[in-house]
Structure formats: C-alpha cells, structure tokens
C-alpha cells in the first residue's frame, strides 16, 4: 500500500528517567514512530515543578534543533507524532497538547479517535473551557485537566468515564508520567524498562531504538503511573473483558519489527502470505512485493508456494515530506514519484503482486500499468487482508464509505478496475489463523461492519471545526 494508504494518526512516547536526557530519548523514540504520523511532532518535558513544550509541523528530524532539545529539560518527557484524523493539519493542532488545569499543568499525547468528542467539547465549553484548536485531543486533555480527584490516577479514571472511542495516551504532569489505554485496547501501548527509569510507547520498535527492554503491553482500560515512588498499575475494575485491538496494526500500520500481543509482526505477515497461497494456489513465475509493506507477506507466499521471490519494484526511500501530505492529488501522483520497476526482473514473467490492502484503488492501476510497461506478461494481485468495506471511526483516515473501492465493487470488479489478470484477498479466517490469536480480541469493523463501540453517524474528520 505505498501510495493508497489509510493513515494512522499518531505515535506516542513517554519516558521517566532521572539522570537521563529525556528529551533526546523521546526524540529518538518519536523517530522510530515516524511511520504513525508525519504532519507534526512535539515533545513536552517536566522537572518536578515546571513544564516545557516544543511542537512543530513536519517530520521529527526537522521539527527539533539541538537548541530545542536542550531547552526541554527535566526528568520526564512525552512526545507525539501526528497525522490528522480529527482537526485539520495545522500548527495549533500539533501535539502534545498542554493545558493549565485545575491541579497544575498537564500535557497529553493521544493516539486514536474519540467518537463522542463533539459532545465532550460542548460540555467543556459550557463549563468555561475555551478551545484553541479543533482536535479531540484538546477536549480530552481539558477533560483530564479539569477532573477532580485525590491523585492523577483518580482524575484520569474520572475523565475516562466521559470518553467513548479509541485512545492510547501518554500523559505528563509536573511530576509523573502516565500511560493509558482505552477499555477496548483499540490502539496499542507498551511498557519498557531502561537503566534509570521507565518508558511507554505506541510500539515496541521505539523501545528497542532507545535501548529499553520490553516489559509488557498496557492492558485495555489500565492506567499506569510512573513517579518518584516507581511504577503503579491501576487496572480497570469493572472491565467487561472485551478487547478489540485494531487488526490493521497487524496487517499494515505497525512496524514489522514491533511485537504486539506477543506476536512479531514481520512473522505474522509472513504467515498471512502463506495463507494467501494456501487459499488459492496459482501457477506463476515470480512473487513481487509492493515495497515496503508487502515484503513480509510476499516472502511468506514465496516460501509456501516455492515460486521465487523477486524485487521487481524499487522504492525511492527519500521522497521527502511533500509526498506524505494528506492530499489526494499528491497521493495519485505518488506512484510516479515513489516506485520504479526493473524490466530485467519482470520481462515475460507471470507476476504475483503482493500488497497488504487496496483502499481507494485510485493508484493501483498506475502500478499495474508500470509492471506491464516493464515487461510483465501477467499480473495477479494478492492482498493479505480481506476487502475494506466499512469506514473506521477509531482513528484511521478512512472515514467515508464512498472512498472505499471494495464497498461498491465486487472483487472481480476491483480486479477489472485496477487492470489485473486475477485478484484474490485473504479471508478473515485466514488472517486470524495467521495472527494465531482468538478473533474476539480484535476490531475488524472495517472488514466486517461489526463495530465494537456503537457508531451512530457518519463522522467527517473535520466535524469538530463546525461545532
Ligand atoms: Fe482498525 Fe479497521 Fe477497527 Fe479502524 S475499523 S480500528 S482500521 S480494524
């Protein structure tokens, strides 16, 4: 899915480590979460008394100078990389979001999407909160910052009772780091250990990058507080036991080197490729991945089928940030900017082309044309997930059903539209089998239409700007 991708909206990171340069650790943590959001980046730090924050539009490596990092002093920090799913792409929506709350400063980095944010925002406005930006994160931060309670865990728990939706949070107070996961555990969040402290991160790849050891995932509904006394867990007492982690983290969003729910994603994706072959064996000459996201499944497909794996498409890895702006015109231009084909590999070959999903389908046709122009005799598309037929309301930018090609075309019609000789999607059973975890631990709403949280209306991602 190199140019047709649904966007994950955020990566979050937090570290509590006296005697460490926490801003720099957060910078490198965010660097490894860059794939989760490329529009803006920010870090907030605290030293027990005072909070400092720096946010900027752009990629992590352009958002912070040495001076910026050196000003972010203290022993606690949180960071955020953002892609907008609520609120437009602009500086005042960049995270983390900082408010002067009733109990002191509080900053929040949020991954996910609240489906009741308009109501929450209206309630807060009625109680005198004045909003600057248009994100659900701002509403969520104010809700925490104004919730009463004897300590931060109690205040967060009270605020959580007002939230409906997906949220994994890294929260910074003046003297504590807090990690929170929504009661369905829709978005991921992991805990790691470093020599002098604790780390939380959207994905374990960020833990590895800074030399932290993975400890465990934050449980659905759990609040984890790190302060001068150590780490404390506050599990959800009345948890209904129903987890609904986003299955797209396994298919595409999370980095292949991350661990999630005990699974290494590269290996899970290899098994998805093997399942694809088992469900529909085909005679072909080479298996070509759409780089980079199709690589693990193409390896699995090749190993299971015995058909040689070949890199027939080469990705320009340094395309720069103009390409990753959320703009349809640039997305469609993307294939020409981002991939070149190797005619020596493709000439006269029957190609199995492996990709993780087809979302809008608008840019698949140019890719198939590119393969044919470079000599491919046949192109057989194999997708290692079922068709996306329903919108996501939990933080992934595919909120309009009209945008989803599989919502209004049959599989054969999709194949015809993108110009392939044949097309096959992995079944839901095959996907679950490859992940090797019970199906009732996942949200599969965009594949099945079964939403784990009630969704009452089609939500436009900019709706908050109209209330
Ligand atoms: Fe993930 Fe799809 Fe559920 Fe959204 S609807 S959280 S993309 S599985």
């Amino acid at each position: 899915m190199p140019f047709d991708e649904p966007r994950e909206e955020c990566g979050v990171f937090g570290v509590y480590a006296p005697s460490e340069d926490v801003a720099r650790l957060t910078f490198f943590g965010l660097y490894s979460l860059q794939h989760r959001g490329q529009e803006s980046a920010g870090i907030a730090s605290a030293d027990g008394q005072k909070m400092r924050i720096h946010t900027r539009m752009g990629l992590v490596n352009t958002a912070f100078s040495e001076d910026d990092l050196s000003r972010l002093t203290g022993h606690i920090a949180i960071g955020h990389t953002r892609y907008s799913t609520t609120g437009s792409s602009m500086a005042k929506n960049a995270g983390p979001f900082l408010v002067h709350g009733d109990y002191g400063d509080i900053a929040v980095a949020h991954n996910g999407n609240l489906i009741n944010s308009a109501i929450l925002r209206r309630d807060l406005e009625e109680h005198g909160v004045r909003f600057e930006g248009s994100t659900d994160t701002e509403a969520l931060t104010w809700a925490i910052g104004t919730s009463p309670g004897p300590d931060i865990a109690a205040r967060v728990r009270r605020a959580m009772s007002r939230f409906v939706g997906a949220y994994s949070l890294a929260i910074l107070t003046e003297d504590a780091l807090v990690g929170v996961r929504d009661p369905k555990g829709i978005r991921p969040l992991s805990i790691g250990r470093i020599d002098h402290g604790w780390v939380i991160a959207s994905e374990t790849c960020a833990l590895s990058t800074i030399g932290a050891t993975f400890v465990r995932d934050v449980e659905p509904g759990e609040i984890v507080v790190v302060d001068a006394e150590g780490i404390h867990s506050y599990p959800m007492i009345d948890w209904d036991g129903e987890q609904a982690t986003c299955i797209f983290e396994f298919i595409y969003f999370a980095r292949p080197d991350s661990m999630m729910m005990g699974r290494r994603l590269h290996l899970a994706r290899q098994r998805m490729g093997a399942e694809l072959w088992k469900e529909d064996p085909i005679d072909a000459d080479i298996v070509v991945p759409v780089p980079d996201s199709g690589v693990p499944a193409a390896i699995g497909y090749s190993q299971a089928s015995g058909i040689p794996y070949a890199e027939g498409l080469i990705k320009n890895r340094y395309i720069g940030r103009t390409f990753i702006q959320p703009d349809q015109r640039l997305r469609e231009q993307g294939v020409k900017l981002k991939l070149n084909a190797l005619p020596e590999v493709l000439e006269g070959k029957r190609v199995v082309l492996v990709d993780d999903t087809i979302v809008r389908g608008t840019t698949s046709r140019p890719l198939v044309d590119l393969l044919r122009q470079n000599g491919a005799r046949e192109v057989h598309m194999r997708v290692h997930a079922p068709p996306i037929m329903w919108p996501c309301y939990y933080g992934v930018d595919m909120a309009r059903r009209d945008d989803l090609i599989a919502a209004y075309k049959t599989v054969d019609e999709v194949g015809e539209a993108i110009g392939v000789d044949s097309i096959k999607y992995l079944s839901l059973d095959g996907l679950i089998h490859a992940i090797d975890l019970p199906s009732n631990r996942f949200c599969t709403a965009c594949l099945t239409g079964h939403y784990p949280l009630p969704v009452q209306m089609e939500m436009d991602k900019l709706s908050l700007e109209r209330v």
Side-chain angles (χ1 to χ4, degrees), residues 103 144 147-158 173 225 227 234:
Y103 299 84
I144 297 169
S147 284
D151 54 39
I152 184 63
R155 295 200 289 276
V156 170
R157 180 67 77 213
R158 194 178 177 109
T173 72
V225 178
D227 59 20
Y234 301 86

Side-chain angles (χ1 to χ4, degrees), residues 306-328:
I307 301 170
Y309 173 89
E311 296 199 0
L313 292 164
I314 302 298
K315 182 175 173 182
N316 179 0
R317 291 172 210 279
Y318 304 100
I319 198 71
R321 71 179 281 264
T322 47
F323 172 69
I324 46 185
Q325 289 296 305
D327 176 285
Q328 183 65 17

